[in-house]
Amino acid sequence: MKISFKLIGLVISARLLLYSSAALGDELEKLAAAIHYRPPINFFQSLPTDRNDLGDNPLSMRGGTLLQYGDKNSPCGEVSFSLGWAGVFAGEGKVVKFLPTGPKELKELLETEYRDKFPQVSPAAVMNLGGATAVSLTATRPPESGAMPYFLHFCWIQLETNAVVKVTAVTCNADTFKALTNSMATIKVDKAPLLKAFKPQAGNTLPRARQ
């Protein structure tokens, strides 16, 4: 059964939404500190370029970047972490609907998100990252297409039901891409501080997890 709230009542906490101007600074640093990751040796932590304010759009599927790493050997290489929704949409009458998000459903949602965006997309895989359910897939496009980057990896780490951490790792080098995908296994997230960013107001709660 789909769980819904009236759009006017679904006001996500201003601490995230997803990153209001008042939240920039200490609050963002606290959220970023809840994400633990060991990147490949040639990657360094860099200043996120899109810490935008999505407070006017509570249905945005992705917030600004919390944590970002760049490849010192190539401007094409990058890893970014953001918070976002999976399986949330506005239905008839502007009623917000939360779709089921068990492992099977998350896998299908991720595949649907990227299936038509790249020439080659792998089937999504379900895994466990630091005790959290996660789904991931890879995508590629040929250099002759003129579009960069050529290798892309997308991963959603489930915090609770529809609330996820969205990880994107990209590069134009095949060896670097292998190192990036291997490094995904080092990710661990502290759920409690990250979930506070999704806490609705007016007594609403996220839908309960389904087993």
Side-chain angles (χ1 to χ4, degrees):
M1 181 178 69
K2 296 175 182 177
I3 302 173
S4 64
F5 301 107
K6 286 293 183 180
L7 180 60
I8 192 171
L10 186 71
V11 181
I12 309 305
S13 170
R15 282 173 297 179
L16 176 66
L17 241 189
L18 281 150
Y19 325 140
S20 66
S21 57
L24 292 174
D26 290 346
E27 190 67 19
L28 284 176
E29 293 305 322
K30 291 177 183 178
L31 292 174
I35 300 171
H36 310 280
Y37 169 60
R38 293 196 302 274
I41 192 170
N42 53 306
F43 278 73
F44 63 96
Q45 188 171 343
S46 56
L47 184 66
T49 56
D50 65 339
R51 283 186 166 178
N52 54 306
D53 178 5
L54 301 184
D56 292 331
N57 184 9
L59 289 182
S60 177
M61 292 296 99
R62 179 183 180 277
T65 302
L66 277 179
L67 194 60
Q68 182 172 303
Y69 294 83
D71 185 351
K72 66 181 181 181
N73 298 327
S74 170
C76 186
E78 183 180 284
V79 182
S80 63
F81 296 79
S82 62
L83 299 182
W85 295 109
V88 179
F89 69 98
E92 185 177 352
K94 294 185 177 179
V95 173
V96 179
K97 297 185 181 294
F98 293 81
L99 298 177
T101 51
K104 178 177 179 290
E105 289 83 7
L106 275 180
K107 178 178 178 291
E108 292 172 350
L109 286 167
L110 183 65
E111 289 176 340
T112 299
E113 176 73 16
Y114 293 105
R115 182 184 296 125
D116 298 326
K117 294 182 178 179
F118 303 98
Q120 293 183 309
V121 179
S122 72
V126 180
M127 65 200 71
N128 183 294
L129 287 181
T133 298
V135 292
S136 69
L137 60 75
T138 61
T140 59
R141 48 192 172 195
E144 55 267 24
S145 69
M148 297 171 65
Y150 310 140
F151 306 100
L152 309 96
H153 181 85
F154 303 99
C155 178
W156 292 354
I157 304 168
Q158 188 175 41
L159 298 173
E160 182 179 303
T161 57
N162 303 80
V164 299
V165 174
K166 297 190 174 185
V167 187
T168 302
V170 302
T171 183
C172 294
N173 182 279
D175 291 335
T176 300
F177 190 59
K178 182 177 180 180
L180 281 175
T181 54
N182 288 341
S183 73
M184 295 294 107
T186 70
I187 296 174
K188 184 176 181 179
V189 298
D190 299 330
K191 292 184 179 183
L194 295 173
L195 278 170
K196 288 180 180 179
F198 289 90
K199 185 178 179 181
Q201 294 177 344
N204 289 331
T205 58
L206 288 169
R208 292 182 178 274
R210 298 187 175 198
Q211 302 300 326

